[in-house]
Amino acid sequence: MSEGWCCGRSLALFALVILLPIGIARGFQSDELLQDNEEFGLEGGLPAAGPEPPTNPVRSPIRRRPDLDPPSGSADSKSVQFSLEHNLGASEFSPAGTFTARLKSWSHGGQTLTKLRFSRNALTEEEKRAFERLLKEDGHYTIRVPSNVLNPSGEDYVISSVRARCIPRESLDEHFVIHTDGVNIIAVNYGSAGACRYPRLLRYPAKWSFTSYTVLKNSEQAPRTPTFAEELLAGEDGLGEGVKPPEKSFWAKYFLLASS
Amino acid sequence: MSSSHLRPRTAMAIRARLGFVIVLSLFFSATLSTALYEDQVGLADWHHKYIGKVKHAVFHTQKTGRKRVVVSTEENVVASLDLRTGFIFWRNVLGKNDHIDQVDIALGKYVVTLSSGGSILRAWNLPDGQMIWESTLPVSTPSKSSLYVLANMNVGKDNLILVFGGSSIHALSSMDGQIVWRKELSIDSLEIQQIFQPHDSDIINVVGFVGSSEFVVYQISYRTGEVMQQSKASFESGFCGEASLVFDNLVVALDASKSSLVSISFKNEVINFHQINLSDLVPDFSGKVTLLPLKFNGMLAIEIASSILLLRVKGANELEFVEKISHPFAVSDALPLSKVQQAFAILQHDESKIHFKVKSDNDLRNEILKETIQMDSQRGNIEKVFINNYIRTDRTHGFRFLVVMEDHSLLLIQQGEIVWSREDGLASIVDSTTSELPVEKEGVSVAEVEHNLFEWLKGHLLKLKGTLMLASPDEVAAIQAIRLKSSEKNKMTRDHNGFRKLIIVLTRAGKVLALHTGDGRVVWSVLLPALRRSETCGNPFALRVYQWQVPHHHAMHENPSVLVVGRCGHGFDAPGIFSIVDSYTGKVQNSFILEHSVSHIMPLPLTDSTEQRLHLIIDAKLQAHLYPKNSDSLKHFFNEMPNIYWYSVEVEKNKIKGYSLESKAELDTAEEYVFQAKELWSIIFPSESEKIAVTATRKMNEIVHTQAKVVADQDVMYKYISKNILFVATVSPKAAGEIGSATPEEALLYAYLIDTVSGRILHRVCHQGAQGPVHAVVSENWVVYHYFNLRAHRYEMSVIEIYDQSRADNKDVWKLVLGKHNLTAPVSLYSRPDVMVKSQSYFFTHSVKSMAVTATAKGITSKQLLVGTIGDQVLALDKRFLDPRRSVNPTQSEKEEGIIPLTDSLPIVPQSYITHSLQVEDLRSMVTIPAKLESTTLVFSYGVDLFFTRIAPSRTYDSLTEDFSYALLLITIVVLVAAIFVTWALSEKKELKEKWR
């Protein structure tokens, strides 16, 4: 073993040690700003699935300790429950499942729904027949949730539909994307978990139960080219005129960081 | 709005052309903007100026010199027109909400306008329209305000202008607009009716009503505004608020029930009421009465059930019936002929004739003047008349009439003839569409190619001289004249390039006009009978115009037609109106009132066997009605019915809802063409945090040439091309007001891309510190929107481009070029979308009135954004400046692709104003129409003015320019051939010599 190798290995180790926390930090940062906050919860059909990590991207890097959620329907003031209703071609909507979420209050007054979970009611025989009829007709399967989940008025519902033939695969696979402004539900994008082929062929599922995937989405911030955004900020501070110092190398930066 | 949920992906569109496009795009990148040369102005463009429907007119004919009439219009224009020709001397367009209340002339040199509910008074210089002064009046409650310019007591002295409304009177100096005095007559609910000045006195009389039953008279000092005398009296049956001043001491008012007249005489603080029963005067009187504002001494005009009665007031309780005039009619204000004589005009419509009568107060039984003229029936009835007098050569009084017609046109009539007319309905275009011109029929040579060979040669010689810059100024002028005269662009037949078309416009008056794109002349016009006020439809208004039938199979024999949709009244549940008009002749083919209301109109991409376009009308009860009603259209419709979706935006409720059609179980013959809507999806914006500001969609007829975008290093990005994309911008309610009403922290702007079939939100983004007004335009796979950035204190434009990731693995460019990709497979919008979004924001200097995008026949030519600026000009901005992929230092391959280095703001190149030096006053909309020539787009922009031009966003790469010298080309060829022969002969000779050596 030569010393050079040793040196090289230690250097690599050193670099690894340095890079690891930075890498994690980077990961957090990008999580906060850029990463798509799609996280799939696999529930309903598979009740054994554990609680999902929080879906709100802003929350996750700040508090990542295991959170013991009270079971749905408990008296916890922070827990919010709202029901999903569906329409199988009839004129009336009927309850089909329950969403449970936690309401986080922020110090600045805002509130956000997080940790969305969903449990589907099993299909009754009648519903199954209605669903089969929908499949035959190539009709629309419609669902709705209240727009205001904190105090549902019973008037404003967010509705979404899909052709019933898009849903069956092995089981009935469904995918919810719930767009919120924090608390209020703006829209629900409901559809099959994957592609819906056209022409839609009549096919019955092997298993008459739902496999549900749910995603909670908040709005993104509009991007702005960093250089100009910086210039803008600098311009506001009155420092925009100065010449930028030359870009320092990574090592130089790390050295500065370590020495400070 | 309608849509099929399939996106056909034709391999055809991509094949082999891709390579061609790359080559082309490289070629385009060399030219960014195209501008006109000075001598090209007016060759392809035209600009027409209008003023709108005239509300008030004041003649200015006393002095020698220019005779003019000053008018104010419903489009908030104040203009001075030449009384001899009708041309505009000058005009000023006030702001959108700055409605003109009254106009007058003060001091004989200033035009005074009162606007904005009596709160702004302006003076304009009469000769040139320059603003002299502006004065803002403190008006507590907006009320009906009037202007009273005191008659010239002594010319040269500073006369006062009185503005009164509600209970206050302002007196302003007519020299500089300073408020001389202000009088608030401190009585609650006082409504001043009239102000008048008895002859040669320093006192002005003010009469008005307090509440509904009290009548007051004030005498106010003209100099100081001090109340000299005040008297009031109440009348137990009450007044309705209408009154007419008959004499200096007598007012006739209507009582509260509007069925009898009350004459009020006042003298020296004594007020007397006399009730006059109309049934005494008119034996068969019943119903309600309105007083007409006829400012005529001793005369009264009342309107009873579509006719007017002229009454002469003889004393406080004595009225005399003079004449009854039946509808339609118009009565002018009184015109003083001398100190003691007044005259007024009565116009009466008798089918296609108009009878003019002028009466004076000397002899009400007989007329001073009686004329009859023939009137074009397409102008409708008379709405208003203004009268002016002049001294004839035989020293008698002559009269001229300025007439406003039902179609908003303006005519000057003198000596029984129409001196001039203006088609001012064109200032209020509601909607427009285009129609192709007839095909040139064989045997009928519309185009005389050239007159003779000599002329032809001469013309080309001139052009050649011009090209070689040898032409003298006279010759340049001759070339220009030849160009302008060339009737090529004004022919009434279809041309090879598709530049000649008919623009069919619908105006607010319910008139449809066809304009020729060559010079903007009116080819035909028709005032739609269905959109005229009638007993069945009291308050009709025009909504939209669509192409109804475009014959392709029988283009030689059949004329295309357009569909005009209107509504009977302003409520959403008012019945709709349908009118089908021939596009070539303007003949109304069919017209009827619908049994249902009209809330959405969807032209479907389907036609029946006679090539009539299928239209689906959604009424207020969410029922869909199919037109045309025939079994053939029903058959075509049933095939596509499962694929028809639409959406509605409910701005007040902050909701967007998507619908499809309920399939019918049994067919009821009566309701065969009626379908029920089924709500499929809804999006609800929380009212406390968001408010819908704007929505925008792609044009239904837009053609996209390539679905893929080849980016640097041979990578392919697939555009997410769907006709069903809806862009919605919402702003936080606090920021919904004007700029500056919210702090940057409160102001939020959300941009949404929504698929209107499934209701999916494809993309949602938030701009912090941004607020409206928002303007947006959607095309291909991108949207550009304009808003105000409060943090940067500047306007900003953002672009969002959306790409389809589900096909991202099909990256082989060669496969694409050869058409081996399976792109024809149908795709359902019910699949979970896998999209990628690129966006970027840029600062933009101007605020924007409207935005549009160019459209070409095949979609190959690169796009330009058309921006209607605050200065009423149209700016063409290359889409490449709004590419989200612009970066500070583009790589070599990106540069080759034509990506412009990133700058923080969008450049405004003065040459890229397509309106060059002109202004399209009060610009409301820009319409782009593809020409047949791929490189060219026709642009029609309208507001109060009309402007038309054609632009080539990437220059005319597919045709030679108009001034291309064919003669030069011919001469070159001839010279070359001659040279070949000469050199050939020479070389032969030389060769022979060589051989002899």
Side-chain angles (χ1 to χ4, degrees), chain A:
Chain A
M1 297 285 150
S2 73
E3 220 171 292
W5 180 86
C6 190
C7 240
R9 197 173 60 167
S10 65
L11 206 77
L13 258 174
F14 178 63
L16 201 72
V17 167
I18 294 160
L19 282 174
L20 256 177
I22 291 169
I24 290 162
R26 280 263 165 87
F28 278 138
Q29 270 171 7
S30 66
D31 197 8
E32 198 172 334
L33 284 170
L34 304 165
Q35 205 176 58
D36 200 354
N37 45 345
E38 284 199 25
E39 286 184 64
F40 287 78
L42 194 64
E43 294 196 25
L46 300 167
E52 289 300 313
T55 44
N56 189 307
V58 189
R59 293 287 310 165
S60 49
I62 299 162
R63 276 179 49 186
R64 199 174 259 282
R65 60 161 191 256
D67 216 316
L68 289 167
D69 260 15
S72 63
S74 86
D76 192 314
S77 62
K78 282 187 169 180
S79 173
V80 178
Q81 210 179 51
F82 55 96
S83 70
L84 172 91
E85 294 177 320
H86 67 175
N87 185 339
L88 292 152
S91 54
E92 292 288 306
F93 280 87
S94 56
T98 313
F99 284 100
T100 320
R102 292 207 60 185
L103 188 69
K104 294 270 161 78
S105 297
W106 298 87
S107 52
H108 57 71
Q111 288 178 314
T112 332
L113 285 180
T114 55
K115 296 185 185 175
L116 187 74
R117 290 207 236 146
F118 179 53
S119 74
R120 255 256 188 212
N121 303 347
L123 282 177
T124 62
E125 274 306 306
E126 201 182 321
E127 284 174 331
K128 206 172 119 183
R129 274 199 301 281
F131 205 97
E132 270 177 44
R133 199 173 59 241
L134 266 189
L135 287 176
K136 262 188 216 141
E137 286 171 1
D138 191 20
H140 283 98
Y141 175 65
T142 308
I143 57 122
R144 70 176 191 188
V145 292
S147 153
N148 187 339
V149 295
L150 299 183
N151 3 282
S153 61
E155 279 173 24
D156 283 346
Y157 284 98
V158 171
I159 303 172
S160 188
S161 305
V162 73
R163 291 271 181 191
R165 287 188 187 178
C166 292
I167 301 175
R169 287 202 287 197
E170 274 308 296
S171 57
L172 295 165
D173 287 5
E174 59 181 358
H175 184 252
F176 294 90
V177 183
I178 298 182
H179 291 267
T180 70
D181 74 331
V183 188
N184 294 298
I185 298 180
I186 292 171
V188 176
N189 298 350
Y190 179 73
S192 58
C196 181
R197 295 212 173 278
Y198 190 89
R200 293 177 292 268
L201 302 173
L202 178 58
R203 193 176 53 167
Y204 295 105
K207 208 165 62 173
W208 280 95
S209 64
F210 278 95
T211 313
S212 311
Y213 303 89
T214 56
V215 178
L216 206 59
K217 259 194 176 178
N218 278 335
S219 91
E220 295 168 26
Q221 282 294 320
R224 178 131 207 137
T225 314
T227 38
F228 293 126
E230 273 166 25
E231 255 175 37
L232 199 65
L233 289 173
E236 277 183 357
D237 299 339
L239 301 169
E241 303 306 309
V243 185
K244 265 190 177 175
E247 186 80 19
K248 286 197 174 75
S249 73
F250 166 75
W251 289 110
K253 274 184 187 169
Y254 186 73
F255 182 73
L256 279 172
L257 199 74
S259 59
S260 65

Side-chain angles (χ1 to χ4, degrees), chain B residues 782 799 801 863-865 877-884:
Chain B
W782 51 263
V799 58
E801 286 190 4
K863 302 255 174 191
Q864 276 185 341
L865 275 180
L877 190 67
D878 214 287
K879 168 65 179 60
R880 289 196 297 137
F881 287 114
L882 281 152
D883 191 333

Side-chain angles (χ1 to χ4, degrees), chain B residues 16 30 56 94 133 179 221 224 247 372 396 474 495 549 573 610 675 696 773 785 826 845 854 895 919 930 936 963:
Chain B
H56 308 104
L94 307 189
W133 49 259
I179 298 177
S221 158
T224 58
F247 292 116
T372 301
T396 54
D474 284 351
D495 65 332
Q549 192 179 17
D573 48 355
T610 57
F675 303 88
Y785 50 104
T845 318
T854 58
K895 272 184 197 156
Q919 275 181 308
T936 312
D963 52 356

Side-chain angles (χ1 to χ4, degrees), chain B residues 335-402:
Chain B
L335 173 80
L337 292 179
S338 63
K339 278 202 170 167
V340 289
Q341 201 183 6
Q342 276 186 312
F344 71 101
I346 304 165
L347 271 69
Q348 203 179 353
H349 229 114
D350 177 18
E351 290 180 1
S352 66
K353 284 187 187 130
I354 299 179
H355 304 291
F356 290 76
K357 285 183 214 164
V358 179
K359 292 183 182 236
S360 91
D361 54 357
N362 287 350
D363 182 10
L364 283 168
R365 296 277 165 203
N366 297 310
E367 291 88 22
I368 310 179
L369 182 104
K370 204 171 173 183
E371 282 169 0
T372 301
I373 64 156
Q374 200 73 29
M375 186 61 85
D376 178 9
S377 63
Q378 298 307 341
R379 295 196 187 276
N381 292 335
I382 322 161
E383 297 238 317
K384 271 198 180 90
V385 60
F386 303 95
I387 176 176
N388 176 237
N389 70 319
Y390 61 94
I391 306 293
R392 289 207 194 114
T393 43
D394 60 355
R395 301 269 161 195
T396 54
H397 286 292
F399 295 92
R400 46 173 89 93
F401 309 92
L402 191 71

